[in-house]
Amino acid sequence: MTAPLVIFVDDDPDIRMVMEQTLALEDMPVACFADGESALKNLGPEYQGIVLSDYNMPGMNGLELLQTVRAIDEDIPVILLTGQGDISTAVSAMQQGAYDFIEKPFDHEELIELLKHALEKRQLALENRRLKAQLRQLAKPGPRILGDSPTMQRVMATVEPILDISANILLHGETGSGKDALARYIHESSTRSAHNFVAINCGAVPENLIESELFGHEVGAFTGADKRRIGKVEYAHQGTLFLDEVESMPMPLQVKLLRVLEEQKVERLGSNQVLDVDVRIIAATKADLKKLCDDGEFRPDLYYRLNVVKVDIPPLRERKEDIPTLFHHFALIAAARYDRESVPLDARQAARLMQHSWPGNVRELRNLAERYVLLGPAALEDSDSADTRHLAGRQTLSEMMDGFERAAIMSALNTCQGSIKDTMVALGIARKTLYDKMKKHGLDKAEFKD
């Protein structure tokens, strides 16, 4: 079902039916509710649309609904329907933040025009909010999370509010999807950034050594322990501990880790001294931990301790709009590392990359970008990564054309370093056409300037 752009609230079922039919004819998806309480369950800060509500209703009236909606997000436009003679009520609503009001019986065209203007305002507010978040992200030192696709916007919308909260986080995503990069971004963007970011791959450390790696040991704790070792947990004090492939952690060690999480204390092997620690845990997995719990392969109590906030990282095939930006970024890094020139992709090359399934995700794309810098365009022709015969799923002709068009414009903007005049010449299109297409694909010339 298409997400509603209009939430309509009225206790009269006949009016709800008429409004639903009216907005359907205008191609405005609408969800109708008989009371404000029901409507509020479908509202949040990321809601893309507006609220249209009758004023006089039993229970929560329109003014009370307005106040509650503004508490959720003051940028959601609320339009009230008022009866004749309710001008004082309408004025009061406007003073309290209503977008506008319209009197019953209302003119059809007037209402539609008002709704369209309100929707434009909502989209501008969300776009402005997104751009401000991007600016804050780009202004920060340290790692950045690149990607402007809707799926990555949802990831960042989940992450941003919890950066400075010490809640544990569980990252879920396929191999190579960027779990490590996101974990580092969370740490570097938080108040813990002045302290250590400590990473350990639970699947790469032998089972007989991982306990010592995590908790440390004293001299003589076991054969070969000839000097004291500070464990990863202790070393991450006041910082962040990143547990990659946490599903690989042995069951006995899960019990000990659970105790650390519950008590915020750690004890080195061979020691009787208990040390206080302040550690934020970011765990990462490619597996379904809930299923592993059901199968008895992972402790449910540890799962719930780690899964305070869960972030699902989309595979690259589900955010193909980000491929040109990511490839360009990785190519620039590789060019600086190897002291080589990075030649921007042409439209055909970029479109070909966007059609690939990317089973290795961002890691595979990064490796291809490095080969491209070292070997030139031949790396794209010879690489399995550029083989478009194995697509992840079918695309419609319209989707393929949109992807090709966006990639072509991005490639030209990269080559022309954001110059609109030069990009017009390179693509052979008029200025207005270029601006319209950049707006359609969410492209900003500033992102391509050096």
Side-chain angles (χ1 to χ4, degrees), residues 186-238:
I186 293 170
H187 172 77
E188 293 294 340
S189 303
S190 73
T191 53
R192 293 177 174 266
S193 60
H195 302 280
N196 294 327
F197 175 85
V198 182
I200 181 171
N201 188 316
C202 301
V205 182
E207 187 172 340
N208 62 328
L209 295 179
I210 191 170
E211 183 175 2
S212 173
E213 282 288 315
L214 275 175
F215 306 127
H217 62 254
E218 297 288 350
V219 176
F222 51 83
T223 302
D226 53 357
K227 61 181 179 180
R228 172 187 286 180
R229 179 183 178 84
I230 302 299
K232 301 292 188 185
V233 175
E234 187 179 346
Y235 190 61
H237 177 57
Q238 297 185 320

Side-chain angles (χ1 to χ4, degrees), residues 10 12 92 110 119 122 172 231 239 263 282 313 414 434:
D10 197 302
D12 189 324
S92 176
E110 180 184 352
L119 283 169
R122 178 57 175 165
H172 178 262
E263 301 177 2
I282 301 179
I313 304 176
N414 276 329
L434 176 58

Side-chain angles (χ1 to χ4, degrees), residues 418-436:
S419 168
I420 295 298
K421 181 179 178 181
D422 292 343
T423 303
M424 290 164 45
V425 174
L427 295 175
I429 58 177
R431 181 181 294 270
K432 184 180 184 305
T433 302
L434 176 58
Y435 273 122
D436 288 345

Side-chain angles (χ1 to χ4, degrees), residues 225-333:
D226 53 357
K227 61 181 179 180
R228 172 187 286 180
R229 179 183 178 84
I230 302 299
K232 301 292 188 185
V233 175
E234 187 179 346
Y235 190 61
H237 177 57
Q238 297 185 320
T240 303
L241 177 64
F242 177 52
L243 301 174
D244 199 6
E245 296 189 25
V246 70
E247 73 276 7
S248 303
M249 183 175 289
M251 191 68 76
L253 197 60
Q254 293 181 28
V255 179
K256 295 186 178 182
L257 178 62
L258 179 63
R259 181 187 173 196
V260 171
L261 294 178
E262 291 176 339
E263 301 177 2
Q264 288 289 287
K265 297 179 184 295
V266 66
E267 185 176 334
R268 300 189 197 113
L269 295 179
S271 173
N272 293 321
Q273 183 182 4
V274 177
L275 305 172
D276 292 326
V277 288
D278 171 17
V279 178
R280 180 189 210 173
I281 304 289
I282 301 179
T285 182
K286 61 180 180 291
D288 183 346
L289 286 188
K290 184 65 172 64
K291 185 177 186 303
L292 292 180
C293 290
D294 295 340
D295 295 341
E297 298 177 23
F298 199 86
R299 290 187 63 91
D301 44 9
L302 177 58
Y303 167 70
Y304 290 114
R305 276 285 181 179
L306 296 174
N307 190 29
V308 177
V309 178
K310 185 181 180 184
V311 181
D312 289 303
I313 304 176
L316 191 56
R317 63 180 174 275
E318 293 180 7
R319 56 180 187 117
K320 291 190 174 183
E321 309 96 306
D322 297 332
I323 289 174
T325 300
L326 288 168
F327 187 92
H328 181 64
H329 172 71
F330 293 139
L332 288 176
I333 293 175

Side-chain angles (χ1 to χ4, degrees), residues 173-179 286 359-363:
E174 295 179 3
T175 299
S177 58
K179 299 186 289 294
K286 61 180 180 291
N361 290 296
V362 177
R363 185 178 300 155

